[in-house]
Amino acid sequence: KAGVTQTPRYLIKTRGQQVTLSCSPISGHRSVSWYQQTPGQGLQFLFEYFSETQRNKGNFPGRFSGRQFSNSRSEMNVSTLELGDSALYLCASSLRPNRPSGTEAFFGQGTRLTVV
Amino acid sequence: SQQGEEDPQALSIQEGENATMNCSYKTSINNLQWYRQNSGRGLVHLILIRSNEREKHSGRLRVTLDTSKKSSSLLITASRAADTASYFCATDGDNQGGKLIFGQGTELSVKP
């Protein structure tokens, strides 16, 4: 079974530009979550999608947005990039949202975004 | 906000020794998961322990959970150089809105 696929693996963007990252979950998984990882803040939750609906959103500005398609693939978009958006962006897929008793979340290799 | 606090932040051991990492959290949980991350790459899922479980094994890994103390530990026995990585605990609870909350991680270095 293929794992979680994130594209691209690396990106360099200029401040003020926008970027779109893609995540293909494990086949059969319908829940996709996004996390930002930085040395200072660690792993921070961005948002979660299930059946094309955003179920939860972390404490990030409106410049961060996402969506999920009918095949469960997800994209996240960051507009008006800032230097502080440089981070590793990780996508996780699971069979269902983590409730009530939880299920394992499997992560992709991440997209390393550098804003210059 | 960080739910899990991990201890130690860094650990250096020799191959063959055991490595123990601890995780403490603040609120009630449904389950706790441990992940490994190699040098800025993706997270690899190691083990999930539910709130009604006290101990779980997977190969050389042993995880314990003490909900009364709100703490968990990950033991890696007979460590290998390939175990060198960062290890994170992540909690899932009803008050977390379905998201995982991660600790800051323990950086493990296993020297050959």
Side-chain angles (χ1 to χ4, degrees), chain B residues 12-18 78-84 109-112:
Chain B
S12 183
I13 59 175
Q14 296 293 130
E15 241 183 353
E17 293 181 337
N18 295 341
S79 62
R80 306 166 183 166
D83 295 328
T84 295
S109 174
V110 182
K111 301 188 186 312

Side-chain angles (χ1 to χ4, degrees), chain A residues 10-39:
Chain A
Y10 302 92
L11 263 180
I12 300 176
K13 289 287 189 178
T14 304
R15 197 168 45 179
Q17 286 186 312
Q18 75 163 17
V19 67
T20 299
L21 312 182
S22 179
C23 172
S24 293
I26 292 171
S27 178
H29 285 195
R30 295 169 61 194
S31 174
V32 174
S33 300
W34 289 88
Y35 292 81
Q36 181 198 63
Q37 185 178 29
T38 59

Side-chain angles (χ1 to χ4, degrees), chain B residues 7-105:
Chain B
D7 166 54
Q9 287 190 323
L11 179 62
S12 183
I13 59 175
Q14 296 293 130
E15 241 183 353
E17 293 181 337
N18 295 341
T20 300
M21 288 158 267
N22 302 296
C23 168
S24 60
Y25 55 91
K26 296 170 186 165
T27 61
S28 63
I29 61 171
N30 293 326
N31 67 70
L32 186 145
Q33 304 182 42
W34 284 91
Y35 290 86
R36 184 186 75 227
Q37 184 177 41
N38 289 86
S39 192
R41 302 188 64 173
L43 295 168
V44 175
H45 187 273
L46 296 176
I47 200 163
L48 178 152
I49 186 165
R50 292 190 161 77
S51 60
N52 61 353
E53 297 175 313
R54 293 295 168 256
E55 189 170 310
K56 210 161 180 182
H57 296 253
S58 177
R60 294 183 296 112
L61 306 180
R62 172 177 168 253
V63 167
T64 62
L65 179 64
D66 187 335
T67 52
S68 67
K69 294 181 180 177
K70 292 187 170 60
S71 67
S72 174
S73 68
L74 169 67
L75 168 67
I76 304 174
T77 59
S79 62
R80 306 166 183 166
D83 295 328
T84 295
S86 293
Y87 291 82
F88 295 88
C89 67
T91 59
D92 166 43
D94 287 335
N95 62 347
Q96 292 175 204
K99 65 179 185 269
L100 294 175
I101 298 181
F102 286 84
Q104 290 286 1

Side-chain angles (χ1 to χ4, degrees), chain A residues 79-114:
Chain A
S79 62
T80 319
L81 283 165
E82 300 177 0
L83 297 179
D85 297 333
S86 294
L88 180 66
Y89 290 87
L90 292 161
C91 162
S93 83
S94 59
L95 276 170
R96 60 183 185 275
N98 282 0
R99 61 170 63 151
S101 60
T103 183
E104 291 90 338
F106 297 92
F107 284 78
Q109 289 295 305
T111 294
R112 172 76 61 188
L113 172 65
T114 302

